[in-house]
Amino acid sequence: MKLTLILLAAGNSRRFDGNKLLTPFHGKPMYQYIVEEVEKLPDGLFDDKIVVTQYPEIMEDLGKRGYMVVENVQSSLGISHSIHLALEAAASPDGEEASYCFAVCDQPYLKAATIEGLIEGWKNSKRGIGCLCNMGEFGNPAIFSEAYRNELLALEGDVGGKRVLRRHIDDLYLHEVDDGLELVDIDVRG
């Protein structure tokens, strides 16, 4: 089964009061944390890597790192628009069964081992959806099999995959994270 990594990096950072993805966080732009963790993962874990962004700096950097770059010129339409763009870009012309691992770029504490554990556990579970969690709270990344593609494409506004995930708890693999800090996303300036 083909697994595509989709980095969502197009947000307008309204609550942050500035572009949080490019803002230095402990010495480097916030988006680079997940990129560097992904680079630590075993080769071949992802068949493809896509980034959806509106920021030229991220497009240039991740394009050089082998990501398919998808520009989101309408980020005001919310996260659902980035999801739609990514799924359109990830369409498999040969009809191969696909799955999609969505990750956000504002979780600077997320570790490669946690991402790998989620993927391994999800594959072994034979479930259609998987996500990280800590003490009952769902977190990112989240993985969706092809079976949920149309539901993801039906999302509107600033609504993400958690809406689909909550509808299908019976088909959900949860990967518990010991350190809840890994799931923290930075939404406001410290």
Side-chain angles (χ1 to χ4, degrees), residues 119-178:
I119 293 167
E120 306 260 329
W122 171 76
K123 284 181 178 178
N124 291 334
S125 77
K126 308 289 189 220
R127 302 279 175 113
I129 304 172
C131 79
L132 296 180
C133 72
N134 179 256
M135 299 189 307
E137 292 293 318
F138 299 150
N140 289 308
I143 305 170
F144 295 87
S145 69
E146 183 73 24
Y148 296 101
R149 180 184 176 92
N150 289 337
E151 281 189 63
L152 291 166
L153 287 169
L155 294 171
E156 295 179 346
D158 206 23
V159 174
K162 285 200 178 80
R163 176 165 292 170
V164 175
L165 183 150
R166 285 188 174 97
R167 281 189 211 131
H168 301 282
I169 297 293
D170 59 324
D171 197 24
L172 173 63
Y173 165 73
L174 291 173
H175 189 80
E176 185 71 25
V177 177
D178 293 330

Side-chain angles (χ1 to χ4, degrees), residues 7-174:
L7 293 184
L8 300 172
N12 291 324
S13 309
R14 286 181 203 89
R15 290 174 289 180
F16 190 78
D17 189 30
N19 182 340
K20 70 178 168 183
L21 299 179
L22 296 175
T23 297
F25 183 80
H26 299 294
K28 60 186 162 189
M30 180 132 25
Y31 82 91
Q32 285 186 358
Y33 284 88
I34 189 156
V35 172
E36 290 175 4
E37 292 302 308
V38 167
E39 288 174 348
K40 295 175 186 176
L41 293 167
D43 288 342
L45 189 63
F46 296 111
D47 297 283
D48 295 306
K49 294 184 282 189
I50 296 173
V51 61
V52 181
T53 188
Q54 63 174 314
Y55 303 112
E57 299 91 336
I58 295 175
M59 288 181 212
E60 182 180 345
D61 180 29
L62 294 193
K64 289 177 186 173
R65 295 180 193 233
Y67 283 73
M68 176 192 298
V69 175
V70 177
E71 185 176 13
N72 183 344
V73 296
Q74 295 181 294
S75 61
S76 61
L77 296 177
I79 194 167
S80 66
H81 186 61
S82 286
I83 291 169
H84 299 166
L85 291 171
L87 290 173
E88 288 165 17
S92 194
D94 56 11
E96 181 182 5
E97 190 172 335
S99 295
Y100 313 96
C101 179
F102 291 91
V104 294
C105 294
D106 61 353
Q107 285 181 244
Y109 303 108
L110 184 63
K111 298 294 176 217
T114 302
I115 298 168
E116 188 173 8
L118 166 65
I119 293 167
E120 306 260 329
W122 171 76
K123 284 181 178 178
N124 291 334
S125 77
K126 308 289 189 220
R127 302 279 175 113
I129 304 172
C131 79
L132 296 180
C133 72
N134 179 256
M135 299 189 307
E137 292 293 318
F138 299 150
N140 289 308
I143 305 170
F144 295 87
S145 69
E146 183 73 24
Y148 296 101
R149 180 184 176 92
N150 289 337
E151 281 189 63
L152 291 166
L153 287 169
L155 294 171
E156 295 179 346
D158 206 23
V159 174
K162 285 200 178 80
R163 176 165 292 170
V164 175
L165 183 150
R166 285 188 174 97
R167 281 189 211 131
H168 301 282
I169 297 293
D170 59 324
D171 197 24
L172 173 63
Y173 165 73
L174 291 173

